[in-house]
Amino acid sequence: GQNIDQPTEMTATEGAIVQINCTYQTSGFNGLFWYQQHAGEAPTFLSYNVLDGLEEKGRFSSFLSRSKGYSYLLLKELQMKDSASYLCAVRDSSGGFKTIFGAGTRLFVKA
Amino acid sequence: DADVTQTPRNRITKTGKRIMLECSQTKGHDRMYWYRQDPGLGLRLIYYSFDVKDINKGEISDGYSVSRQAQAKFSLSLESAIPNQTALYFCATSDLEDPTNEQFFGPGTRLTVL
């Protein structure tokens, strides 16, 4: 089966750096995603990792370690508009390449 | 114009009523999905379709049915709505040719079953 764990809430200060962790268990790992979701809105794609290592995209970076079943999303130079939920999701090749989402981490950015 | 649209955006209904939620996309994607989102539970997959003749159950398909009328349209039905189906419902699409399988979400339908 699949299981994805991430912290429920985090708080950080504007201008700072925050790291949101995600651990997962899956029988057929085929990629890990991070999505951003503002309250009441649709999720939007942030990043995709399928190989170990760091993927950098502007202020956002995502890291993957497949052997540890671990990923993190790093947000630099935090802005107030970064206050949102961040969803970790894993694509599983067993049973049809479904994408399974974690419950999300609500990030509050304070001035 | 939005690439993935959902109708209605909000719906209040009563227990036992039949409800249909509709999703349309102009992205030309083959793959379409229906999710529900509940506080603290994240997005859960209800049904998905990889092309017009392909329908698959997700994690929580009981009480729901779907119809893929065309490549661009994927409808979700609740045959007899019950209060625990109150949730935010999202449709999503992805491109078969995209190796990342990034999903593009519609704006959501907020459904309340009284």
Side-chain angles (χ1 to χ4, degrees):
Chain A
Q2 304 97 356
N3 190 45
I4 299 174
D5 290 312
Q6 50 184 132
T8 303
E9 288 186 0
M10 299 182 71
T11 301
T13 304
E14 192 175 19
I17 298 173
V18 70
Q19 178 174 312
I20 303 174
N21 295 324
C22 171
T23 58
Y24 65 88
Q25 293 176 309
T26 185
S27 49
F29 178 82
N30 198 256
L32 185 140
F33 303 83
W34 285 95
Y35 284 81
Q36 180 190 60
Q37 185 179 24
H38 286 98
E41 298 183 9
T44 55
F45 173 83
L46 287 178
S47 68
Y48 171 74
N49 294 68
V50 67
L51 299 176
D52 291 350
L54 188 68
E55 296 282 341
E56 297 184 81
K57 190 186 296 185
R59 293 189 299 115
F60 293 6
S61 302
S62 57
F63 172 83
L64 175 66
S65 169
R66 289 172 295 169
S67 63
K68 295 182 179 178
Y70 169 70
S71 173
Y72 66 73
L73 180 69
L74 193 71
L75 292 74
K76 303 177 185 176
E77 302 170 13
L78 277 174
Q79 302 175 8
M80 300 298 287
K81 68 178 182 179
D82 297 330
S83 293
S85 289
Y86 292 86
L87 313 180
C88 176
V90 173
R91 186 167 59 180
D92 193 329
S93 62
S94 62
F97 287 92
K98 294 189 291 288
T99 300
I100 306 299
F101 285 81
T105 298
R106 289 189 68 188
L107 175 66
F108 298 93
V109 179
K110 59 182 182 179
Chain B
D1 287 341
D3 295 318
V4 185
T5 58
Q6 292 183 232
T7 55
R9 294 293 312 280
N10 289 280
R11 181 72 184 269
I12 299 174
T13 191
K14 295 182 178 180
T15 297
K17 293 291 187 181
R18 184 178 188 275
I19 297 296
M20 179 179 286
L21 308 183
E22 301 194 12
C23 177
S24 295
Q25 52 113 348
T26 59
K27 301 187 75 67
H29 289 170
D30 291 305
R31 299 179 174 186
M32 298 187 74
Y33 312 81
W34 274 105
Y35 293 90
R36 65 176 280 175
Q37 188 172 40
D38 300 274
L41 292 178
L43 288 162
R44 291 184 291 167
L45 184 64
I46 305 172
Y47 272 95
Y48 62 105
S49 168
F50 282 178
D51 65 42
V52 175
K53 297 180 180 179
D54 176 73
I55 300 289
N56 303 282
K57 293 183 178 181
E59 303 169 75
I60 52 164
S61 58
D62 288 349
Y64 301 95
S65 62
V66 291
S67 173
R68 185 81 185 267
Q69 300 98 320
Q71 187 201 41
K73 295 184 182 296
F74 192 36
S75 300
L76 176 72
S77 293
L78 288 68
E79 297 300 326
S80 179
I82 55 176
N84 76 2
Q85 291 177 312
T86 293
L88 184 57
Y89 290 83
F90 286 105
C91 173
T93 74
S94 67
D95 184 358
L96 173 67
E97 302 297 326
D98 179 1
T100 73
N101 196 45
E102 173 187 349
Q103 294 188 31
F104 297 83
F105 287 82
T109 295
R110 188 167 295 280
L111 177 66
T112 303
V113 183
L114 301 176

